[in-house]
Amino acid sequence: MIQITIIGSGNVGQHLIKAFSASKSVEIKQVYSRQKEKVLYLVSPEKIVTDYENLEPSDLYIIAVSDNAISDVSSQLPFNNQLVVHTSGTSPLYILDSKNRRGVFYPLQTFSKTKNVDFSVIPICLEAENTADYKLLEIAAKSISTAIFSINSEQRKALHVAAVFVNNFTNHLYQIGQDICTENQVSFDVLKPLIQETADKINTLDPADAQTGPAIRQDTNTIDAHLAFLQNKNQKDIYKILTQSIQNNGKKL
């Protein structure tokens, strides 16, 4: 059985703790958290440490902290030649301190503390410096997911940029849509079937083939009417940029 230590108690860390705790082939050896109470509902108190010096030997140490803190955390670990990985989509493997064997264990998903996820379908992108360490990461990943990918640092960065477009930016557009509905006393719930159908389409169509709306139809009358309706400058600017991008189909704006 693989023993895993999770370093970090944020969204990703907590979801990894939940996923690994449900697996029969791995064991959560310890969890490092500066605030012990954040993970008391997930693991027994004796497994939680608040000092790096109290970390015990483990097969795998997963650093699940903000990108800016990865390098500092890895340098503070009080051991050498252990397998230490981070969970970042953008940070390269070599950001980890070279005193330990380095790798990446990147679950490509959006995580919120209050929203449970089905880890079995979450893509996990792996990278390691040698074959033996990769195989150990693969075993750990397969204990919680069926979607495992070997992805190098540059590919992972590309994936993360793409993920920002399809997730973070899209969710921001949901917020703008909700704001427009709220300002005009319309329930945002009316749009939810449309949002779901749009997401479902990419299971059978390429996004380019699924594109609809006034921009792709070159419907200038509707576009002008929408721009005249929008009084918020930020909303109007975003509408113009996205309309032009759709019409140019990826060409320079």
Side-chain angles (χ1 to χ4, degrees):
M1 180 174 286
I2 298 174
Q3 293 184 324
I4 296 176
T5 293
I6 307 292
I7 300 173
S9 56
N11 285 348
V12 176
Q14 291 192 31
H15 279 282
L16 284 174
I17 293 168
K18 291 178 185 178
F20 283 125
S21 295
S23 171
K24 295 180 180 179
S25 57
V26 301
E27 175 194 359
I28 298 289
K29 181 68 178 289
Q30 287 181 305
V31 174
Y32 170 86
S33 175
R34 287 180 297 181
Q35 298 172 288
K36 197 169 184 177
E37 62 276 8
K38 290 182 70 174
V39 289
L40 276 172
Y41 78 103
L42 291 171
V43 289
S44 54
E46 66 271 14
K47 289 191 174 187
I48 306 170
V49 297
T50 57
D51 189 327
Y52 294 125
E53 295 298 329
N54 293 326
L55 289 172
E56 299 174 358
S58 192
D59 297 313
L60 172 62
Y61 298 84
I62 300 179
I63 297 178
V65 299
S66 66
D67 287 13
N68 291 339
I70 293 171
S71 179
D72 183 56
V73 169
S74 69
S75 68
Q76 292 186 60
L77 298 179
F79 44 72
N80 299 300
N81 198 34
Q82 301 301 307
L83 180 54
V84 177
V85 303
H86 68 65
T87 59
S88 168
T90 299
S91 300
L93 174 147
Y94 59 76
I95 198 172
L96 293 163
D97 195 302
S98 60
K99 67 184 178 183
N100 285 298
R101 299 169 358 246
R102 300 175 292 188
V104 178
F105 191 98
Y106 170 51
L108 203 170
Q109 185 54 275
T110 175
F111 295 103
S112 299
K113 288 189 182 74
T114 56
K115 176 71 166 60
N116 288 326
V117 295
D118 179 3
F119 237 101
S120 67
V121 296
I122 292 177
I124 299 181
C125 304
L126 304 178
E127 184 179 10
E129 293 181 296
N130 63 67
T131 301
D133 285 342
Y134 182 87
K135 287 188 178 301
L136 190 148
L137 290 180
E138 189 175 46
I139 293 170
K142 285 182 176 179
S143 75
I144 59 175
S145 174
T146 58
I148 314 301
F149 298 90
S150 175
I151 303 288
N152 65 38
S153 290
E154 280 302 304
Q155 291 171 322
R156 185 163 28 83
K157 185 186 293 184
L159 266 176
H160 196 250
V161 172
V164 168
F165 273 94
V166 303
N167 173 243
N168 305 133
F169 290 168
T170 300
N171 189 72
H172 182 61
L173 294 179
Y174 293 161
Q175 180 190 336
I176 290 175
Q178 186 176 45
D179 290 344
I180 292 171
C181 286
T182 301
E183 290 163 7
N184 292 275
Q185 292 83 52
V186 178
S187 173
F188 183 63
D189 287 346
V190 178
L191 291 176
K192 289 181 179 178
L194 173 63
I195 292 171
Q196 188 61 56
E197 174 62 17
T198 303
D200 288 344
K201 274 186 180 181
I202 61 168
N203 290 318
T204 55
L205 294 173
D206 284 342
D209 295 330
Q211 187 67 56
T212 62
I216 197 70
R217 295 195 304 267
Q218 302 288 335
D219 186 349
T220 56
N221 288 339
T222 299
I223 293 169
D224 289 343
H226 288 174
L227 289 172
F229 173 82
L230 292 170
Q231 300 302 305
N232 181 295
K233 184 179 184 302
N234 183 56
Q235 294 173 359
K236 184 173 290 192
D237 289 343
I238 290 172
Y239 187 103
K240 288 179 180 177
I241 290 171
L242 292 178
T243 295
Q244 189 176 356
S245 180
I246 291 169
Q247 291 177 338
N248 290 346
N249 195 23
K251 297 176 185 177
K252 185 176 179 180
L253 298 179

